[in-house]
């Protein structure tokens, strides 16, 4: 499946929300790397754009990672693939596409509603 960020509604976070990631080192045994710090800039039901100062090895092969974050109160632990990389002022931006077996759509939307209400109340 080709990644196209325009296929989904995207919600941008201001400020970004903190997250962590682990690279899947061995696809067969699901061994994970040490934790890396990142921030989520935006999210959709299909994936996220995250930013980190770490230069991840995104090449032609698939970079599988586990991404952990909390939008409002629910913690998410989602597996998927990095599908693009860009150099940015803050470090590096990455496009992360949720794995096909990740069924978090409804929960992400519900958490975004709560998050948006919280932001509106603080304005």
């Amino acid at each position: 499946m080709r990644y196209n960020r325009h296929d989904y509604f995207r919600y941008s976070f201001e400020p970004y929300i903190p997250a962590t990631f682990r690279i899947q080192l061995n696809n067969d045994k699901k061994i994970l790397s040490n934790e890396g710090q990142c921030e989520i800039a935006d999210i959709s039901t299909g994936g996220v754009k995250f930013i980190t100062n770490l230069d991840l090895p995104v090449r032609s092969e698939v970079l599988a990672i586990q991404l952990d974050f909390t939008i409002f109160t629910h913690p998410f632990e989602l597996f998927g693939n990095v599908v693009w990389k860009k150099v940015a002022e803050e470090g590096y931006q990455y496009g992360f596409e949720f794995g096909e077996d990740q069924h978090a759509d409804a929960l992400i939307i519900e958490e975004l509603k709560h998050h948006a209400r919280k932001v509106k109340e603080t304005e």
Side-chain angles (χ1 to χ4, degrees), residues 9-119:
F9 165 78
R10 300 196 75 76
Y11 182 91
S12 297
F13 294 103
E14 188 57 47
Y16 300 154
I17 60 171
T20 60
F21 66 90
R22 293 174 184 262
I23 298 172
Q24 191 170 319
L25 300 173
N26 182 321
N27 288 339
D28 297 332
K29 296 182 182 177
K30 306 254 189 236
I31 298 170
L32 298 173
S33 71
N34 291 333
E35 203 171 77
Q37 300 296 315
C38 64
E39 295 180 307
I40 296 180
D42 67 36
I43 190 168
S44 74
T45 55
V48 304
K49 175 171 63 176
F50 70 89
I51 298 167
T52 183
N53 60 354
L54 299 172
D55 186 3
L56 302 179
V58 178
R59 295 183 202 87
S60 59
E61 71 269 7
V62 174
L63 179 63
I65 66 171
Q66 172 187 310
L67 189 63
D68 299 314
F69 58 94
T70 300
I71 296 175
F72 182 66
T73 58
H74 187 275
F76 290 89
E77 182 180 279
L78 299 172
F79 283 90
N81 300 307
V82 174
V83 292
W84 58 263
K85 170 183 176 179
K86 292 181 185 174
V87 177
E89 281 184 30
E90 311 96 335
Y92 299 90
Q93 293 180 354
Y94 297 92
F96 173 76
E97 184 175 56
F98 300 144
E100 291 181 15
D101 60 340
Q102 304 293 303
H103 302 288
D105 299 13
L107 191 50
I108 287 171
I109 291 168
E110 197 59 36
E111 286 293 291
L112 286 174
K113 288 177 186 177
H114 292 299
H115 176 81
R117 281 188 209 117
K118 179 182 154 189
V119 168

